Amino acid sequence: MGYLLQGLFGERSLTKVAGLFNQRSQAENTMAQVLRTAGLQAGQVRLLGPQHAHAPRREIFSRSMEPEPTGMARTFFQSHIVFGAAGGVLGLGVFAWFFRAAHPMILSSPLLSFIALVGFGTTFGMLLAGLLSLRPDHIRMITHVRSALRHNHWAVVAHPVDPAQTEKVKAVLEREASEVLTTL
């Protein structure tokens, strides 16, 4: 399943894990522990503090939470191609099923029926891809972390690239952090 998702998404890190802390020292110690224990590289773990929530340049916060903008663009295009094609094939299947069943509406105007069913299938597939590209789970996490930073908390945000790293990061953060957030 992970291989299929990795092919659909353009990002290396599909899951993001964040731990919220009350003190900077606690967050720094946990960040070092995550790097040692989970085998992540320095660029995969970020420390965010209250100054990041109030920084005049929001790019600092954005880059820390979503460090792969080119991967996100690839996700957008790949998901639209895959889901659009899948929706079109599904529409074609529905057309073939109605045609074989000799449905009177399909038989009376087969070309218009074909265009409508394949067109709607493609459209709904692309709408689903758009929903997937919005990444509502990431938006929820980003909003929660930003709110915590505004209340003078600290956050350690990890970008693991495989399920094993994800579990190791979660284990460390669940022991040390006051709250742990995870994307899908």
Side-chain angles (χ1 to χ4, degrees):
M1 181 70 172
Y3 179 74
L4 289 174
L5 286 177
Q6 200 69 36
L8 182 62
F9 292 95
E11 300 152 273
R12 284 185 49 230
S13 174
L14 298 180
T15 302
K16 295 175 186 353
V17 184
L20 302 177
F21 300 88
N22 295 326
Q23 299 172 351
R24 179 182 183 145
S25 60
Q26 194 180 21
E28 288 173 341
N29 292 338
T30 303
M31 181 176 162
Q33 192 176 358
V34 165
L35 286 169
R36 273 193 321 271
T37 308
L40 275 72
Q41 297 175 7
Q44 289 179 269
V45 182
R46 308 280 168 88
L47 178 65
L48 298 172
Q51 73 275 13
H52 292 108
H54 301 293
R57 298 194 58 179
R58 298 268 183 205
E59 295 88 42
I60 297 168
F61 182 80
S62 298
R63 287 265 183 210
S64 296
M65 292 300 290
E66 296 286 355
E68 299 180 69
T70 56
M72 291 170 64
R74 231 182 347 229
T75 296
F76 179 80
F77 290 114
Q78 286 175 197
S79 64
H80 278 77
I81 289 170
V82 169
F83 282 106
V89 168
L90 184 64
L92 181 64
V94 170
F95 172 78
W97 183 64
F98 278 133
F99 192 80
R100 284 194 59 171
H103 194 279
M105 287 182 70
I106 301 295
L107 294 178
S108 67
S109 57
L111 181 61
L112 289 176
S113 300
F114 174 81
I115 291 170
L117 289 171
V118 172
F120 280 123
T122 303
T123 300
F124 287 126
M126 288 197 170
L127 286 171
L128 182 61
L131 178 64
L132 181 72
S133 297
L134 285 175
R135 306 298 287 267
D137 58 328
H138 289 215
I139 293 169
R140 184 187 64 81
M141 174 187 261
I142 290 168
T143 303
H144 199 83
V145 168
R146 182 176 279 143
S147 175
L149 295 180
R150 286 183 182 144
H151 290 94
N152 294 323
H153 289 31
W154 291 80
V156 173
V157 181
H159 305 277
V161 294
D162 61 39
Q165 280 186 347
T166 303
E167 290 307 314
K168 289 176 184 175
V169 169
K170 278 188 197 176
V172 171
L173 289 177
E174 285 173 352
R175 272 194 321 267
E176 305 294 332
S178 60
E179 186 176 355
V180 178
L181 305 165
T182 307
T183 60
L184 298 178

